[in-house]
Amino acid sequence: MSKKIIIANWKMNPASSQEAMSLFSGISKNVSQIKKTIVVICPPFIYLPSFSKALAGKGKIKKQISLGAQDAFWGDTGAYTGEVSAVMLSDIGVKYVILGHSERRVLGESNENINKKLKSAISANILPILCVGELERDENHEYFNFVKNQLLECLNGIPKNLLYKIIIAYEPVWAISTTQNRRDATPLDSREMAIFIRKIISDKLGVGMKMPRIIYGGSVNNKDAGEFLRYGGIDGLLVGKASLDVKKFTDIIKIAENENN
Ligand code: PEP
């Protein structure tokens, strides 16, 4: 069984570098006993260099916490005002990048763009966390086709032997904490989609190839993380709101650590 992975998506929070460092230090201190769970913190770009420096001096914590970005542009350098490339992130020690988050898709991010970003991230040696998920669930189960289409378009042309590097995060938009009139998803909703995603990927890969990890995200907190990890058919969690609270987030990490036993 692969190690569980717990990823924090801080989104555009917190407002100051002081608050960011205090949150980061709080989480770092609390994971010193964690051995089997992979912890990834994805803060806003601006906090990454100082976190990377803070980790550089701490060999043990460095093994337990990795840094991730919330986006990365394709290409290495060039005339792309305002963008940051995967190569630049890799240069400061960033290991993961969230791509195709629903909050970016709503701003116009297309599957085609995400596909280019995935390819660039992989070639810069950064592990992408590809977010997919339907806006709503309909009675005719069209949402399966919606997710399938997102997956196939985003993964188009990526060599089969590299697909395992991508972590696929199933995030039903209707369950994300900031969605208006949101509803709770259940571990069963997660399990059903995780099986569906595994089938799509294994049809693409054929037998004998290493599979990508599949994780779940959407309002997970320290009360339901255990149920999602146990019954959700997944290898980890992407956590938004609860990752901004040291206690809630470290509780989730400890729950994952116990599930790894
Ligand atoms: C997210 O948007 O990636 C997410 C998981 O958010 P939340 O946990 O706040 O629903």
Side-chain angles (χ1 to χ4, degrees), residues 130-196:
L130 167 63
C131 298
V132 295
E134 74 281 5
L135 304 181
E136 253 312 331
R137 287 214 162 179
D138 58 297
E139 283 178 6
N140 297 328
H141 299 101
E142 261 310 301
Y143 59 90
F144 281 117
N145 283 334
F146 184 86
V147 172
K148 181 174 183 180
N149 187 54
Q150 281 185 327
L151 270 175
L152 293 181
E153 288 190 7
C154 289
L155 300 179
N156 185 32
I158 298 178
K160 286 182 186 180
N161 64 335
L162 298 179
L163 275 188
Y164 77 92
K165 294 188 178 220
I166 300 173
I167 297 165
I168 298 172
Y170 170 54
E171 295 211 302
V173 180
W174 49 270
I176 289 180
S177 65
T178 45
T179 299
Q180 266 198 339
N181 303 322
R182 63 162 299 284
R183 307 188 317 278
D184 278 339
T186 64
L188 200 60
D189 294 324
S190 159
R191 187 180 194 88
E192 174 190 62
M193 191 57 85
I195 292 169
F196 181 69

Coordinates of all heavy atoms in Angstrom, one line a residue, residues 130-196:
L130 N -3.4 17.1 -10.3 CA -4.4 17.5 -11.3 C -5.8 17.4 -10.6 O -6.3 16.4 -10.2 CB -4.3 16.6 -12.5 CG -5.5 16.7 -13.5 CD1 -5.6 18.1 -14.1 CD2 -5.4 15.6 -14.5
C131 N -6.5 18.6 -10.6 CA -7.8 18.6 -10.0 C -8.9 18.4 -11.1 O -8.8 19.1 -12.1 CB -8.1 19.9 -9.3 SG -7.0 20.3 -8.0
V132 N -9.8 17.5 -10.8 CA -10.9 17.3 -11.7 C -12.2 17.2 -10.8 O -12.0 16.9 -9.6 CB -10.8 16.0 -12.5 CG1 -9.7 16.1 -13.5 CG2 -10.6 14.7 -11.7
G133 N -13.3 17.4 -11.4 CA -14.5 17.3 -10.6 C -15.7 18.0 -11.2 O -15.5 19.1 -11.8
E134 N -16.9 17.5 -11.1 CA -18.1 18.1 -11.7 C -18.6 19.2 -10.8 O -18.4 19.3 -9.6 CB -19.2 17.0 -11.8 CG -19.9 16.5 -10.6 CD -19.1 15.5 -9.7 OE1 -17.9 15.2 -10.0 OE2 -19.6 15.1 -8.7
L135 N -19.3 20.1 -11.5 CA -19.9 21.3 -10.8 C -21.1 20.8 -10.0 O -21.4 21.3 -8.9 CB -20.4 22.3 -11.8 CG -19.3 22.8 -12.7 CD1 -19.8 23.9 -13.7 CD2 -18.1 23.4 -12.0
E136 N -21.9 19.9 -10.6 CA -23.1 19.4 -9.9 C -23.3 17.9 -10.2 O -22.7 17.4 -11.2 CB -24.3 20.2 -10.4 CG -24.9 21.1 -9.4 CD -25.1 20.5 -8.0 OE1 -25.4 19.3 -7.9 OE2 -25.0 21.3 -7.0
R137 N -24.1 17.2 -9.5 CA -24.5 15.8 -9.8 C -25.9 15.8 -10.4 O -26.8 16.4 -9.9 CB -24.4 14.9 -8.6 CG -23.0 14.7 -8.2 CD -22.8 13.4 -7.6 NE -21.4 13.0 -7.6 CZ -20.8 11.9 -7.1 NH1 -21.6 11.0 -6.6 NH2 -19.6 11.7 -7.2
D138 N -26.0 15.2 -11.6 CA -27.3 15.2 -12.2 C -27.8 13.7 -12.2 O -27.1 12.8 -12.1 CB -27.2 15.6 -13.7 CG -26.2 14.7 -14.4 OD1 -25.0 14.7 -14.0 OD2 -26.6 14.0 -15.3
E139 N -29.2 13.6 -12.3 CA -29.8 12.3 -12.2 C -29.4 11.3 -13.3 O -29.4 10.1 -13.1 CB -31.3 12.5 -12.3 CG -31.9 13.0 -11.0 CD -33.4 13.2 -11.0 OE1 -34.0 12.8 -12.0 OE2 -33.9 13.7 -10.0
N140 N -29.0 11.9 -14.5 CA -28.6 11.0 -15.6 C -27.1 10.6 -15.5 O -26.7 10.0 -16.4 CB -28.9 11.7 -16.9 CG -30.4 12.0 -17.1 OD1 -31.2 11.2 -16.6 ND2 -30.7 13.1 -17.7
H141 N -26.5 11.0 -14.4 CA -25.1 10.6 -14.3 C -24.2 11.1 -15.4 O -23.2 10.5 -15.7 CB -24.9 9.1 -14.1 CG -25.7 8.5 -13.0 ND1 -26.9 7.9 -13.1 CD2 -25.4 8.5 -11.6 CE1 -27.3 7.5 -11.9 NE2 -26.4 7.9 -11.0
E142 N -24.5 12.3 -15.9 CA -23.7 12.9 -16.9 C -22.3 13.4 -16.3 O -21.4 13.6 -17.0 CB -24.4 14.2 -17.5 CG -25.1 13.9 -18.9 CD -24.2 13.3 -19.9 OE1 -23.1 13.8 -20.2 OE2 -24.5 12.2 -20.4
Y143 N -22.4 13.5 -15.0 CA -21.1 14.0 -14.3 C -20.0 13.0 -14.5 O -18.8 13.4 -14.5 CB -21.4 14.3 -12.8 CG -21.8 13.1 -12.0 CD1 -20.9 12.3 -11.4 CD2 -23.2 12.9 -11.8 CE1 -21.3 11.2 -10.6 CE2 -23.6 11.8 -11.0 CZ -22.7 11.0 -10.4 OH -23.1 9.9 -9.6
F144 N -20.3 11.8 -14.8 CA -19.2 10.8 -15.1 C -18.5 11.2 -16.4 O -17.2 11.2 -16.5 CB -19.7 9.4 -15.2 CG -19.9 8.7 -13.9 CD1 -21.2 8.3 -13.5 CD2 -18.9 8.5 -13.0 CE1 -21.5 7.7 -12.3 CE2 -19.1 7.9 -11.7 CZ -20.4 7.5 -11.4
N145 N -19.3 11.6 -17.4 CA -18.7 12.0 -18.7 C -17.9 13.3 -18.6 O -16.9 13.5 -19.2 CB -19.8 12.1 -19.8 CG -20.3 10.8 -20.3 OD1 -19.5 9.8 -20.2 ND2 -21.5 10.7 -20.7
F146 N -18.5 14.1 -17.7 CA -17.8 15.4 -17.5 C -16.4 15.2 -16.9 O -15.4 15.8 -17.4 CB -18.6 16.3 -16.5 CG -18.1 17.7 -16.3 CD1 -18.4 18.7 -17.1 CD2 -17.3 17.9 -15.2 CE1 -17.9 20.0 -16.9 CE2 -16.8 19.2 -15.0 CZ -17.1 20.2 -15.9
V147 N -16.3 14.4 -15.9 CA -15.0 14.1 -15.3 C -14.0 13.3 -16.3 O -12.9 13.6 -16.4 CB -15.1 13.3 -14.0 CG1 -13.8 12.9 -13.4 CG2 -15.8 14.2 -12.9
K148 N -14.6 12.4 -17.0 CA -13.9 11.6 -18.0 C -13.3 12.6 -19.1 O -12.1 12.5 -19.4 CB -14.8 10.6 -18.7 CG -14.1 9.7 -19.7 CD -15.0 8.7 -20.2 CE -14.2 7.8 -21.2 NZ -15.0 6.7 -21.7
N149 N -14.1 13.5 -19.5 CA -13.6 14.5 -20.5 C -12.5 15.3 -20.0 O -11.5 15.6 -20.6 CB -14.8 15.3 -21.0 CG -14.4 16.2 -22.1 OD1 -13.9 15.7 -23.1 ND2 -14.6 17.5 -22.0
Q150 N -12.7 15.8 -18.7 CA -11.6 16.6 -18.1 C -10.3 15.8 -18.1 O -9.2 16.3 -18.5 CB -12.0 17.0 -16.7 CG -13.0 18.1 -16.5 CD -13.2 18.5 -15.1 OE1 -13.1 17.6 -14.2 NE2 -13.4 19.7 -14.8
L151 N -10.4 14.6 -17.6 CA -9.2 13.7 -17.5 C -8.5 13.5 -18.9 O -7.3 13.7 -19.0 CB -9.6 12.4 -16.9 CG -9.6 12.2 -15.4 CD1 -10.1 10.8 -15.1 CD2 -8.2 12.4 -14.9
L152 N -9.3 13.1 -19.8 CA -8.7 12.7 -21.1 C -8.1 13.9 -21.8 O -7.0 13.8 -22.4 CB -9.8 12.0 -22.0 CG -10.2 10.6 -21.5 CD1 -11.2 10.0 -22.5 CD2 -9.1 9.7 -21.2
E153 N -8.8 15.1 -21.7 CA -8.2 16.3 -22.4 C -7.0 16.7 -21.6 O -6.0 17.2 -22.2 CB -9.2 17.4 -22.5 CG -10.3 17.1 -23.5 CD -11.2 18.2 -23.8 OE1 -11.0 19.4 -23.4 OE2 -12.2 18.0 -24.5
C154 N -7.0 16.7 -20.3 CA -5.8 17.2 -19.5 C -4.6 16.2 -19.7 O -3.5 16.7 -19.7 CB -6.2 17.3 -18.0 SG -7.3 18.6 -17.7
L155 N -4.9 14.9 -19.9 CA -3.8 14.0 -19.9 C -3.3 13.7 -21.4 O -2.4 12.9 -21.6 CB -4.2 12.7 -19.2 CG -4.6 12.8 -17.8 CD1 -5.0 11.4 -17.2 CD2 -3.4 13.3 -16.9
N156 N -4.0 14.3 -22.3 CA -3.7 14.0 -23.7 C -2.2 14.2 -24.1 O -1.6 15.2 -23.8 CB -4.5 15.0 -24.6 CG -4.4 14.7 -26.1 OD1 -4.2 13.6 -26.5 ND2 -4.4 15.8 -26.9
G157 N -1.6 13.1 -24.6 CA -0.2 13.2 -25.1 C 0.8 13.0 -24.1 O 2.0 13.1 -24.4
I158 N 0.4 12.8 -22.8 CA 1.5 12.6 -21.8 C 1.9 11.1 -21.9 O 1.0 10.2 -21.8 CB 0.9 13.0 -20.4 CG1 0.5 14.5 -20.4 CG2 1.9 12.6 -19.3 CD1 0.0 15.0 -19.1
P159 N 3.2 10.9 -22.0 CA 3.6 9.5 -22.2 C 3.1 8.6 -21.1 O 3.1 9.0 -19.9 CB 5.2 9.6 -22.2 CG 5.5 11.0 -22.6 CD 4.3 11.9 -22.1
K160 N 2.7 7.4 -21.4 CA 2.2 6.4 -20.5 C 3.1 6.2 -19.3 O 2.6 6.1 -18.1 CB 1.9 5.1 -21.1 CG 0.7 5.1 -22.1 CD 0.6 3.7 -22.6 CE -0.5 3.7 -23.7 NZ -0.7 2.3 -24.2
N161 N 4.4 6.1 -19.6 CA 5.3 5.8 -18.5 C 5.5 7.0 -17.5 O 6.2 6.8 -16.5 CB 6.6 5.3 -19.0 CG 7.3 6.4 -19.8 OD1 6.7 7.3 -20.3 ND2 8.7 6.3 -19.9
L162 N 4.9 8.1 -17.8 CA 5.1 9.3 -16.9 C 3.8 9.6 -16.1 O 3.8 10.4 -15.2 CB 5.5 10.5 -17.7 CG 6.8 10.4 -18.4 CD1 7.1 11.7 -19.1 CD2 8.0 10.2 -17.4
L163 N 2.7 8.9 -16.5 CA 1.4 9.3 -15.9 C 1.3 9.0 -14.4 O 0.6 9.8 -13.7 CB 0.3 8.4 -16.6 CG -0.3 9.0 -17.9 CD1 -1.6 8.2 -18.3 CD2 -0.7 10.4 -17.7
Y164 N 2.1 8.1 -13.9 CA 2.1 7.8 -12.5 C 2.6 8.9 -11.7 O 2.3 9.0 -10.5 CB 2.9 6.5 -12.2 CG 4.4 6.8 -12.2 CD1 5.0 7.1 -11.0 CD2 5.2 6.7 -13.3 CE1 6.4 7.3 -11.0 CE2 6.5 7.0 -13.3 CZ 7.1 7.3 -12.1 OH 8.5 7.6 -12.1
K165 N 3.3 9.9 -12.3 CA 3.8 11.0 -11.5 C 2.7 12.0 -11.2 O 2.9 12.9 -10.3 CB 4.9 11.8 -12.4 CG 6.1 10.9 -12.6 CD 7.2 11.8 -13.3 CE 8.4 10.9 -13.5 NZ 9.6 11.5 -13.2
I166 N 1.6 11.9 -11.8 CA 0.5 12.8 -11.6 C -0.4 12.3 -10.5 O -0.8 11.1 -10.5 CB -0.3 13.0 -12.9 CG1 0.6 13.6 -14.0 CG2 -1.6 13.9 -12.6 CD1 -0.1 13.6 -15.4
I167 N -0.7 13.2 -9.5 CA -1.7 12.8 -8.5 C -3.0 13.4 -9.0 O -3.1 14.6 -9.3 CB -1.3 13.5 -7.1 CG1 0.1 12.9 -6.7 CG2 -2.4 13.2 -6.1 CD1 0.7 13.7 -5.6
I168 N -4.0 12.5 -9.0 CA -5.3 13.0 -9.5 C -6.2 13.3 -8.3 O -6.5 12.5 -7.5 CB -6.0 12.0 -10.4 CG1 -5.1 11.8 -11.7 CG2 -7.4 12.5 -10.9 CD1 -5.5 10.7 -12.6
A169 N -6.6 14.6 -8.2 CA -7.4 15.0 -7.0 C -8.9 15.1 -7.5 O -9.2 16.0 -8.3 CB -7.0 16.3 -6.5
Y170 N -9.7 14.3 -7.0 CA -11.2 14.4 -7.3 C -11.8 15.4 -6.3 O -11.8 15.1 -5.1 CB -11.9 13.0 -7.2 CG -13.4 13.2 -7.3 CD1 -14.0 13.8 -8.4 CD2 -14.2 12.6 -6.3 CE1 -15.3 14.0 -8.5 CE2 -15.6 12.8 -6.4 CZ -16.1 13.5 -7.5 OH -17.5 13.7 -7.5
E171 N -12.2 16.5 -6.9 CA -12.8 17.5 -6.0 C -14.2 17.9 -6.6 O -14.2 18.8 -7.5 CB -11.9 18.8 -6.0 CG -10.6 18.6 -5.3 CD -10.1 19.8 -4.7 OE1 -9.9 20.9 -5.3 OE2 -9.9 19.8 -3.5
P172 N -15.2 17.3 -6.1 CA -16.6 17.7 -6.6 C -16.8 19.2 -6.2 O -16.8 19.5 -5.0 CB -17.5 16.7 -5.9 CG -16.8 16.2 -4.8 CD -15.3 16.3 -5.1
V173 N -17.0 20.0 -7.1 CA -17.1 21.5 -6.8 C -18.3 21.8 -5.9 O -18.2 22.6 -5.0 CB -17.2 22.3 -8.1 CG1 -17.3 23.8 -7.8 CG2 -16.0 22.0 -9.0
W174 N -19.3 21.0 -5.9 CA -20.5 21.2 -5.1 C -20.2 20.9 -3.6 O -21.0 21.2 -2.7 CB -21.7 20.3 -5.6 CG -21.4 18.9 -5.8 CD1 -20.9 18.4 -7.0 CD2 -21.4 17.8 -4.9 NE1 -20.7 17.0 -6.9 CE2 -21.0 16.6 -5.6 CE3 -21.8 17.6 -3.6 CZ2 -21.0 15.4 -5.0 CZ3 -21.7 16.4 -3.0 CH2 -21.3 15.3 -3.7
A175 N -19.0 20.3 -3.3 CA -18.7 19.9 -1.9 C -17.6 20.8 -1.4 O -17.3 20.8 -0.2 CB -18.3 18.5 -1.8
I176 N -17.0 21.7 -2.2 CA -15.9 22.6 -1.7 C -16.5 23.6 -0.8 O -17.6 24.1 -1.0 CB -15.2 23.2 -3.0 CG1 -14.4 22.1 -3.7 CG2 -14.3 24.3 -2.5 CD1 -13.6 22.5 -4.9
S177 N -15.7 23.9 0.2 CA -16.2 24.8 1.3 C -16.7 26.1 0.9 O -17.6 26.7 1.5 CB -15.2 24.9 2.4 OG -14.1 25.6 2.0
T178 N -16.1 26.7 -0.2 CA -16.5 28.0 -0.6 C -17.6 28.1 -1.6 O -18.1 29.1 -2.0 CB -15.3 28.8 -1.1 OG1 -14.6 27.9 -2.0 CG2 -14.3 29.2 0.0
T179 N -18.1 26.9 -2.0 CA -19.2 26.9 -3.0 C -20.5 27.3 -2.3 O -20.8 26.7 -1.3 CB -19.3 25.4 -3.6 OG1 -18.1 25.1 -4.3 CG2 -20.5 25.3 -4.6
Q180 N -21.3 28.2 -3.0 CA -22.5 28.6 -2.4 C -23.5 27.4 -2.4 O -23.6 26.6 -3.3 CB -23.1 29.7 -3.3 CG -22.8 31.1 -2.8 CD -23.7 32.1 -3.3 OE1 -24.3 31.9 -4.3 NE2 -23.7 33.3 -2.6
N181 N -24.3 27.3 -1.3 CA -25.2 26.2 -1.1 C -24.5 24.8 -1.3 O -25.1 23.9 -1.9 CB -26.4 26.3 -2.2 CG -27.1 27.6 -2.1 OD1 -27.3 28.1 -0.9 ND2 -27.5 28.1 -3.2
R182 N -23.3 24.7 -0.8 CA -22.6 23.5 -0.9 C -23.3 22.3 -0.2 O -24.1 22.6 0.7 CB -21.2 23.6 -0.4 CG -21.1 24.0 1.1 CD -19.7 23.7 1.7 NE -19.3 22.3 1.6 CZ -19.8 21.4 2.4 NH1 -20.7 21.6 3.3 NH2 -19.4 20.1 2.2
R183 N -23.0 21.1 -0.6 CA -23.5 19.9 0.2 C -22.3 19.1 0.5 O -21.2 19.1 -0.1 CB -24.4 19.1 -0.7 CG -25.5 19.8 -1.3 CD -26.5 18.8 -2.0 NE -25.9 17.7 -2.8 CZ -25.5 17.8 -4.0 NH1 -25.5 19.0 -4.6 NH2 -25.0 16.8 -4.6
D184 N -22.4 18.2 1.6 CA -21.4 17.3 2.0 C -21.3 16.2 1.0 O -22.3 15.6 0.6 CB -21.6 16.7 3.3 CG -21.2 17.7 4.4 OD1 -20.4 18.5 4.2 OD2 -21.7 17.5 5.6
A185 N -20.1 15.8 0.5 CA -19.9 14.6 -0.2 C -19.7 13.5 0.8 O -19.3 13.8 1.9 CB -18.8 14.7 -1.2
T186 N -19.9 12.2 0.4 CA -19.7 11.1 1.4 C -18.5 10.3 0.9 O -18.1 10.4 -0.3 CB -20.9 10.2 1.4 OG1 -21.0 9.6 0.1 CG2 -22.2 10.9 1.8
P187 N -17.9 9.5 1.7 CA -16.8 8.6 1.3 C -17.2 7.7 0.1 O -16.4 7.4 -0.7 CB -16.5 7.8 2.5 CG -16.9 8.7 3.7 CD -18.1 9.4 3.2
L188 N -18.6 7.4 0.1 CA -19.0 6.6 -1.0 C -19.0 7.3 -2.4 O -18.6 6.8 -3.4 CB -20.5 6.1 -0.7 CG -21.0 4.9 -1.5 CD1 -20.1 3.7 -1.2 CD2 -22.4 4.6 -1.2
D189 N -19.3 8.6 -2.3 CA -19.2 9.5 -3.5 C -17.8 9.4 -4.0 O -17.5 9.4 -5.2 CB -19.6 10.9 -3.2 CG -21.1 11.1 -2.9 OD1 -21.9 10.4 -3.4 OD2 -21.4 11.9 -2.0
S190 N -16.8 9.6 -3.0 CA -15.4 9.6 -3.4 C -15.0 8.2 -4.0 O -14.3 8.1 -5.0 CB -14.6 9.9 -2.1 OG -13.3 9.5 -2.2
R191 N -15.4 7.1 -3.3 CA -15.1 5.8 -3.7 C -15.5 5.5 -5.2 O -14.8 4.9 -6.0 CB -15.7 4.8 -2.8 CG -15.2 3.4 -3.0 CD -15.8 2.4 -2.0 NE -15.1 1.2 -2.0 CZ -14.1 0.9 -1.3 NH1 -13.6 1.8 -0.4 NH2 -13.5 -0.2 -1.4
E192 N -16.8 5.9 -5.4 CA -17.4 5.6 -6.7 C -16.6 6.3 -7.8 O -16.2 5.7 -8.8 CB -18.8 6.1 -6.7 CG -19.6 6.1 -7.9 CD -20.9 6.9 -7.8 OE1 -20.9 8.1 -7.5 OE2 -21.9 6.3 -8.0
M193 N -16.2 7.6 -7.6 CA -15.5 8.3 -8.6 C -14.0 7.8 -8.7 O -13.5 7.8 -9.8 CB -15.5 9.8 -8.3 CG -15.0 10.6 -9.5 SD -15.9 10.4 -11.1 CE -17.3 11.4 -10.9
A194 N -13.5 7.4 -7.6 CA -12.1 6.9 -7.6 C -12.0 5.7 -8.4 O -11.0 5.5 -9.2 CB -11.6 6.7 -6.2
I195 N -13.0 4.8 -8.3 CA -13.0 3.6 -9.1 C -13.1 3.9 -10.6 O -12.4 3.4 -11.5 CB -14.2 2.6 -8.7 CG1 -13.9 2.1 -7.3 CG2 -14.4 1.5 -9.7 CD1 -15.1 1.4 -6.6
F196 N -14.0 4.9 -10.9 CA -14.3 5.3 -12.3 C -13.0 5.9 -12.9 O -12.6 5.5 -14.0 CB -15.4 6.4 -12.3 CG -15.7 6.9 -13.6 CD1 -16.3 6.1 -14.6 CD2 -15.4 8.2 -14.0 CE1 -16.7 6.6 -15.8 CE2 -15.8 8.7 -15.2 CZ -16.4 7.9 -16.2

